[in-house]
Amino acid sequence: MAKVPSALVAAGGLVGGYGVARWTRRRPLGGVVLAAAGTVAARQWHERAGATAAGALSAAYVAAFAGSHPLARKVGAWPAVFGVAGAVALASWAVADRRA
């Protein structure tokens, strides 16, 4: 079975979590999507790059989520979410996926 890159899982969690929260009007449901994808990505980061890298990338994932809120006031919600998702995906690829 083909492995899904952790960069895609992480970016998908950020975009999917926001999309679910927005379309269902249930923020906690979006949080479930965000947390589930973050957990899967963290597990992949740990397997591929070790505990230290997994911790750093997990912190980046949470910081991206938090940072998207003030950024959304400046550029709009979707551009902010896509921007932080892209940044996390790039970091994930550089640290964990590039070696796989």
Side-chain angles (χ1 to χ4, degrees):
M1 188 163 129
K3 292 184 180 182
V4 176
S6 61
L8 183 61
V9 173
L14 289 162
V15 173
Y18 175 68
V20 166
R22 181 169 177 134
W23 290 317
T24 65
R25 298 180 192 260
R26 306 253 192 271
R27 292 180 77 181
L29 190 55
V32 168
V33 172
L34 180 78
T39 301
V40 170
R43 190 170 285 161
Q44 289 179 325
W45 293 328
H46 189 271
E47 290 172 2
R48 295 176 186 172
T52 302
L57 289 168
S58 295
Y61 185 80
V62 172
F65 167 70
S68 68
H69 292 82
L71 182 60
R73 289 188 204 110
K74 296 181 187 279
V75 300
W78 280 112
V81 170
F82 285 129
V84 299
V88 169
L90 181 61
S92 179
W93 175 83
V95 173
D97 294 337
R98 180 174 51 164
R99 303 170 202 228

